[in-house]
Amino acid sequence: MKTILLPPGIGDNHWILLKLRSFMEVHAPGETFRAHIWDPDGKPRALEWLQRIPWLEVGGYFRHPWTHEYNEVYGTGPRQVIEGFEGFDYLIGVNPALERGCAMSEVLPECVTEWDYEVVPTEEEMQFGEHFLRHNGPYILLFFCNHGFYAEHWLQHLPVKKLVGFIQALATAYPHTKLVLTGKDWDVDFSTQLAAAAGTPQVISLAGQTTLPQLLGLIRHARAFVGFPAGNGMVAQHLGCPTLMIWCGESYRARFHKDFSTNWVDPKKVGSVYTPVYVDSFQEDVCLSALNDMERARRQLMGRAQCSDNVSEV
């Protein structure tokens, strides 16, 4: 049994999962791996995502303050793997490489990228998503927050008044579709503020009210996902939900290379399932057009699948 320690976020782990099965085969063929999540800040959130990966055993949270090694693989350091750390065989993190604009082929370069790794849904998440859709009709998920670097960079270019105007534009463009704000407990106040400012019952907030399984259920049945970059949107595009992700602009490029908005996405999905836009050149009509394009691509894909299912064997 080999043990691996992974970073705290769902998005952080999604990037690693694109390479992890190959990493296991390259570094310890035939071994079983058990994954643990580093929790440095008392905000555990990624373990249930790992539990949906059928080929990976999952341990628990490693509750420990940040260390130099943590910064090396998760912050700004050069390494992606540290062996023999705190009793774990491997500490893995790929954030700095991706943030610098490295292609996925350059991340853990000895490993193959598995763009479509399997995520097994639970009965709870499927039932929750189906129930919400049945009782509310079609909906688009939203995620916006006002803490940390989002406040310092995103909201400097996309202030609350402009963000509310965009939500209202979505409501006008999709008059029979609920707009559902999502987030964790620390996003409740901002999401409530946005929902109230939008001034329509079409916009509701579920921030702080859903478990991860429930959020995944919502994603699987959503018409689209729109919001700032975070694990929920990164998971949404992986699960096939049309995702419009609003990235930082030039003010944050010192840390995030422009290619970071796409280098972790399957190239086949860019423009059809996933579209990035940027706060310093933000235009409502561009966003609405991108959503329409992704919805059109989704309908075409579903139509082809249905035609394939209906083909009779000769």
Side-chain angles (χ1 to χ4, degrees):
M1 171 73 70
K2 296 290 186 181
T3 55
I4 52 176
L5 183 60
L6 302 176
I10 294 174
D12 310 324
N13 283 283
H14 166 63
W15 300 328
I16 293 172
L17 286 167
L18 294 170
K19 292 277 190 167
L20 187 56
R21 180 145 57 170
S22 179
F23 179 91
M24 293 161 56
E25 294 169 352
V26 169
H27 290 270
E31 286 274 10
T32 301
F33 277 64
R34 177 175 292 149
H36 299 255
I37 300 290
W38 195 327
D39 174 20
D41 55 7
K43 295 180 178 179
R45 54 196 183 275
L47 206 65
E48 287 181 294
W49 176 247
L50 294 185
Q51 289 170 343
R52 283 151 175 74
I53 311 305
W55 41 265
L56 184 64
E57 285 199 20
V58 179
Y61 286 103
F62 174 64
R63 292 179 167 87
H64 194 284
W66 291 19
T67 67
H68 171 71
E69 292 84 356
Y70 178 93
N71 187 59
E72 280 202 62
V73 301
Y74 183 66
T76 58
R79 291 200 279 178
Q80 298 172 28
V81 179
I82 296 176
E83 295 189 36
F85 173 74
E86 292 285 342
F88 296 95
D89 292 295
Y90 303 99
L91 168 62
I92 305 176
V94 300
N95 297 50
L98 290 172
E99 291 170 6
R100 289 194 300 270
C102 293
M104 189 56 71
S105 60
E106 300 173 279
V107 175
L108 300 174
E110 74 278 15
C111 304
V112 175
T113 303
E114 187 179 9
W115 290 115
D116 57 349
Y117 70 84
E118 183 182 7
V119 181
V120 179
T122 66
E123 184 176 348
E124 176 190 1
E125 68 188 67
M126 294 305 293
Q127 287 181 348
F128 186 86
E130 291 167 0
H131 176 83
F132 189 86
L133 179 63
R134 186 165 56 250
H135 285 79
N136 294 277
Y139 59 92
I140 293 174
L141 297 176
L142 308 178
F143 172 73
F144 305 109
C145 56
N146 65 343
H147 52 78
F149 58 25
Y150 298 110
E152 297 169 9
H153 298 276
W154 274 255
L155 294 179
Q156 293 300 312
H157 290 283
L158 192 60
V160 171
K161 184 177 181 179
K162 191 172 182 180
L163 191 54
V164 170
F166 173 53
I167 294 172
Q168 292 171 329
L170 284 171
T172 300
Y174 297 92
H176 305 296
T177 298
K178 288 282 189 183
L179 302 177
V180 183
L181 288 151
T182 63
K184 297 291 287 183
D185 294 346
W186 46 86
D187 301 309
V188 170
D189 290 346
F190 190 55
S191 294
T192 302
Q193 176 189 351
L194 293 176
T200 170
Q202 192 180 340
V203 181
I204 62 174
S205 175
L206 291 183
Q209 300 179 46
T210 56
T211 63
L212 179 59
Q214 290 170 342
L215 176 62
L216 294 175
L218 290 174
I219 288 172
R220 289 184 181 275
H221 293 83
R223 187 170 180 177
F225 186 101
V226 178
F228 294 163
N232 43 19
M234 294 166 188
V235 163
Q237 63 81 34
H238 185 74
L239 297 180
C241 178
T243 301
L244 183 78
M245 193 166 283
I246 305 169
W247 283 88
C248 60
E250 293 298 333
S251 66
Y252 211 57
R253 290 280 165 77
R255 174 173 172 180
F256 285 177
H257 189 278
K258 63 181 179 60
D259 291 343
F260 183 43
S261 61
T262 55
N263 60 359
W264 49 271
V265 181
D266 183 349
K268 296 193 299 294
K269 287 186 173 181
V270 177
S272 60
V273 176
Y274 168 85
T275 302
V277 295
Y278 304 91
V279 292
D280 53 353
S281 57
F282 187 83
Q283 297 180 46
E284 291 176 0
D285 58 340
V286 172
C287 294
L288 295 175
S289 177
L291 285 170
N292 285 333
D293 289 344
M294 288 190 289
E295 279 211 299
R296 190 178 303 111
R298 188 186 212 183
R299 287 194 299 269
Q300 290 173 349
L301 180 62
M302 293 175 65
R304 286 196 297 269
Q306 187 174 15
C307 289
S308 177
D309 289 342
N310 291 335
V311 171
S312 300
E313 293 185 8
V314 177

